[in-house]
């Protein structure tokens, strides 16, 4: 299976504009033979915590009609956004939409970073789905820093680890370059990282969305400047 890791500069708080960007990237990936594409953390709004905390209109249900353009791309999309929980706080949720547009699964970020606490509710269960004979695991940014989460994936027979994330310039460059190949090496998994590039809330995304093979070998990597996709074959 060919899998794509996307990166983009989101339009702050503008779901229709960002959905169009994501749909365009999904179309590019599909035209190159990809069957699945992963997008960065909070890709529908950008990493705009103040706006997300104050405006439930920026929270997205799986059946939200604003996602229709993504459902129509003909490729499985892994989309991270603020999702309602039924309580006062949203979750940082990953929606996996199949190539037919139907919801495959939802995952809520379990490990909230410092500034996310009090804005979002944490999840309490792991994210899994199967596609094309492969078993996938879901994780969001800070989740990837917790070895117990990736250990459960390996024990659960997963083949591919999908990470929707935000790593910025500065320390984020080093973290991005060590955490993800480390997961591939330590857990013997394919690892797919989708990162922001350019302005992302208080950060500047460092890009370099990438895919690593089991053992930690880099298969493909985007640059640190442009909206694009990085694509690799997952055997």
């Amino acid at each position: 299976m060919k899998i794509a890791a996307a990166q983009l500069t989101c339009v702050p708080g503008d779901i229709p504009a960002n959905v169009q960007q994501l749909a365009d990237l999904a179309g590019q990936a599909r035209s190159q033979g990809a069957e699945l594409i992963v997008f960065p953390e909070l890709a529908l709004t950008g990493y705009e915590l103040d706006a997300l905390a104050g405006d439930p209109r920026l929270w997205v249900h799986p059946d939200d009609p604003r996602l229709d353009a993504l459902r129509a791309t003909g490729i499985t999309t892994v989309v991270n956004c603020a999702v309602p929980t039924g309580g006062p706080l949203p979750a940082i949720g990953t929606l996996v939409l199949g190539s037919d547009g139907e919801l495959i699964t939802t995952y809520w970020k379990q490990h909230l970073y410092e500034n996310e606490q009090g804005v979002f509710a944490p999840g309490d269960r792991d994210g899994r789905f199967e596609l094309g004979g492969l078993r996938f695991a879901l994780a969001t940014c800070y989740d990837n820093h917790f070895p117990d989460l990736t250990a459960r994936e390996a024990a659960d027979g997963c083949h591919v680890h999908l990470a929707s994330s935000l790593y910025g310039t500065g320390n984020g460059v080093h973290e991005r370059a060590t955490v993800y190949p480390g997961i591939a090496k330590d857990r013997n998994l394919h690892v797919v990282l989708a990162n922001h590039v350019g302005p992302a809330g208080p950060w500047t995304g460092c890009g370099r969305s990438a895919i690593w093979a089991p053992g930690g070998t880099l298969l493909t990597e985007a640059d640190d400047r442009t909206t694009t996709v990085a694509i690799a074959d997952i055997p």
Side-chain angles (χ1 to χ4, degrees):
M1 179 186 298
K2 283 190 175 181
I3 295 178
Q7 63 185 38
L8 71 154
T9 303
C10 297
V11 181
D14 191 333
I15 291 176
N18 292 317
V19 166
Q20 189 57 60
Q21 286 201 83
L22 270 55
D24 289 345
L25 289 166
Q28 292 175 31
R30 186 186 180 197
S31 71
Q32 297 177 56
E35 297 178 54
L36 180 148
I37 185 168
V38 185
F39 296 108
E41 184 176 24
L42 296 176
L44 293 186
T45 57
Y47 195 81
E48 304 294 330
L49 301 195
D50 289 344
L52 289 166
D55 190 354
R57 293 173 299 180
L58 297 178
W59 309 353
V60 178
H61 290 273
D63 59 354
D64 194 308
R66 291 175 293 182
L67 298 177
D68 285 350
L70 280 174
R71 294 191 186 94
T73 57
I75 182 174
T76 297
T77 56
V78 180
V79 186
N80 190 268
C81 54
V83 300
T85 62
L89 300 179
I92 299 177
T94 297
L95 309 177
V96 182
L97 304 174
S99 59
D100 60 358
E102 295 297 315
L103 180 70
I104 295 176
T105 194
T106 300
Y107 168 72
W108 294 358
K109 184 176 183 179
Q110 298 180 65
H111 302 282
L112 299 177
Y113 193 61
E114 298 167 354
N115 54 335
E116 297 165 359
Q117 297 175 21
V119 177
F120 300 101
D124 61 2
R125 64 187 65 184
D126 294 334
R128 303 282 189 270
F129 68 97
E130 295 186 5
L131 183 71
L134 296 174
R135 185 162 175 79
F136 292 84
L138 297 165
T140 306
C141 205
Y142 196 41
D143 282 336
N144 298 283
H145 293 245
F146 290 81
D148 57 330
L149 184 145
T150 56
R152 291 195 299 271
E153 296 175 8
D156 198 25
C158 294
H159 304 101
V160 187
H161 174 95
L162 304 179
S164 297
S165 299
L166 166 56
Y167 287 87
T169 54
N171 290 339
V173 174
H174 174 73
E175 290 182 350
R176 188 216 69 91
T178 54
V179 169
Y180 295 92
I183 294 171
K185 180 180 179 181
D186 294 343
R187 305 304 181 199
N188 202 38
L189 296 166
H190 280 90
V191 173
V192 182
L193 166 66
N195 192 26
H196 288 257
V197 64
W203 316 109
T204 299
C206 66
R208 299 204 178 278
S209 294
I211 302 174
W212 291 266
T217 300
L218 180 66
L219 297 178
T220 185
E221 182 179 62
D223 62 25
D224 61 355
R225 301 174 304 282
T226 57
T227 292
T228 189
V229 294
I231 300 175
D233 282 300
I234 305 296

